[in-house]
Amino acid sequence: MNNESKSFWSFTVLGVIFGYLSFLLNNALQSSIITFILAIVFLFIFANILKRVLKVNEKMKWFMTNGGWVYLFLWFVIWVIFYNL
């Protein structure tokens, strides 16, 4: 599996997981803005972690095109689904 696929699937899984965690945090903190900010911060943190794990020297644009946008989309969809239950 190449680095693009590894990055894509890592962001996909983490988008689903963090979407549910954001729902739990939203219930605890009673603030949707804080959960959104945490999702964005976690995106940058995880991109730096992936940069070290995959041993790539790419900028944030590479991570956004190889899973970052999917992470944000899945995070939002999962968060909305649990929020509306």
Side-chain angles (χ1 to χ4, degrees):
M1 192 185 302
N2 58 12
N3 286 340
E4 290 86 5
S5 296
K6 290 177 186 175
S7 175
F8 176 81
W9 288 110
S10 298
F11 276 118
T12 301
V13 170
L14 286 173
V16 172
I17 291 170
F18 203 73
Y20 181 69
L21 290 176
S22 292
F23 163 71
L24 296 176
L25 283 172
N26 190 35
N27 286 342
L29 300 175
Q30 298 296 319
S31 175
S32 299
I33 299 296
I34 293 175
T35 57
F36 175 71
I37 291 170
L38 286 174
I40 299 297
V41 168
F42 188 74
L43 173 69
F44 284 101
I45 291 171
F46 189 68
N48 285 328
I49 291 170
L50 271 181
K51 186 184 280 191
R52 291 185 186 130
V53 170
L54 298 178
K55 297 179 179 111
V56 293
N57 193 13
E58 302 289 343
K59 296 184 180 188
M60 190 63 191
K61 180 181 176 183
W62 185 86
F63 289 102
M64 289 302 293
T65 57
N66 290 304
W69 293 114
V70 175
Y71 163 81
L72 289 174
F73 177 74
L74 285 174
W75 166 80
F76 183 72
V77 168
I78 298 298
W79 178 73
V80 167
I81 288 171
F82 281 109
Y83 186 80
N84 287 318
L85 288 179

